[in-house]
Amino acid sequence: MFMDNSEHVCADSTCLDDRVRHLPSEDSIYSMCKIFNALQCTTRLKILFLLLQGDLCVKAIEDSLGLTQSAISHSLKNLRQLDLVRVRKEGRFAVYYLADQHVELLVSMCREHVEEVKK
């Protein structure tokens, strides 16, 4: 059966052009891809969920996840490079925290979505 798409809203070139104009820039898309790629690592995602509950030093993250200091540091470095987490010094300790409310929302909404889909 042949369908004529000339009247279909999705085929309206003006509508499509408008949608394309509202796409993020290539640089933004690339940065978002790097973030989503980083979140494929279960260790990094677990760290974000721990930090969602409050600031922690490397030793506390280590103890919580049962991983080596090297593995935790490597993951934190990746998260810092993407500005998902930040660090501050408290005496001789480095304390990590989520960079901002956007990161909190991203992690929370992802969890909410996954748990909602499971139902």
Side-chain angles (χ1 to χ4, degrees):
M1 173 199 264
F2 175 75
M3 290 185 69
D4 179 16
N5 284 335
S6 62
E7 298 296 320
H8 187 65
V9 175
C10 289
D12 178 10
S13 64
T14 305
C15 178
L16 292 176
D17 290 344
D18 188 51
R19 288 181 184 206
V20 169
R21 274 193 301 279
H22 286 91
L23 286 173
S25 70
E26 286 298 318
D27 285 345
S28 292
I29 292 286
Y30 180 73
S31 294
M32 286 183 252
C33 285
K34 289 190 330 190
I35 288 171
F36 284 111
N37 186 47
L39 298 181
Q40 290 182 41
C41 171
T42 57
T43 299
R44 288 190 286 264
L45 201 50
K46 287 176 185 177
I47 289 170
L48 291 176
F49 277 108
L50 286 173
L51 296 178
L52 186 60
Q53 300 171 62
D55 306 353
L56 291 171
C57 66
V58 175
K59 179 68 172 141
I61 297 169
E62 226 181 287
D63 292 346
S64 297
L65 299 181
L67 297 171
T68 64
Q69 185 269 334
S70 176
I72 299 299
S73 292
H74 178 72
S75 290
L76 286 167
K77 177 184 174 191
N78 288 79
L79 293 170
R80 277 192 358 257
Q81 288 173 336
L82 294 168
D83 198 31
L84 296 174
V85 301
R86 295 185 182 150
V87 62
R88 71 174 179 277
K89 286 290 199 177
E90 288 186 6
R92 59 186 189 95
F93 296 100
V95 177
Y96 289 84
Y97 58 97
L98 295 181
D100 58 32
Q101 291 178 335
H102 298 111
V103 180
E104 293 175 18
L105 186 60
L106 176 67
V107 173
S108 297
M109 295 297 285
C110 184
R111 182 179 193 168
E112 187 177 312
H113 174 75
V114 167
E115 291 177 353
E116 205 171 90
V117 170
K118 284 183 180 180
K119 291 180 184 180

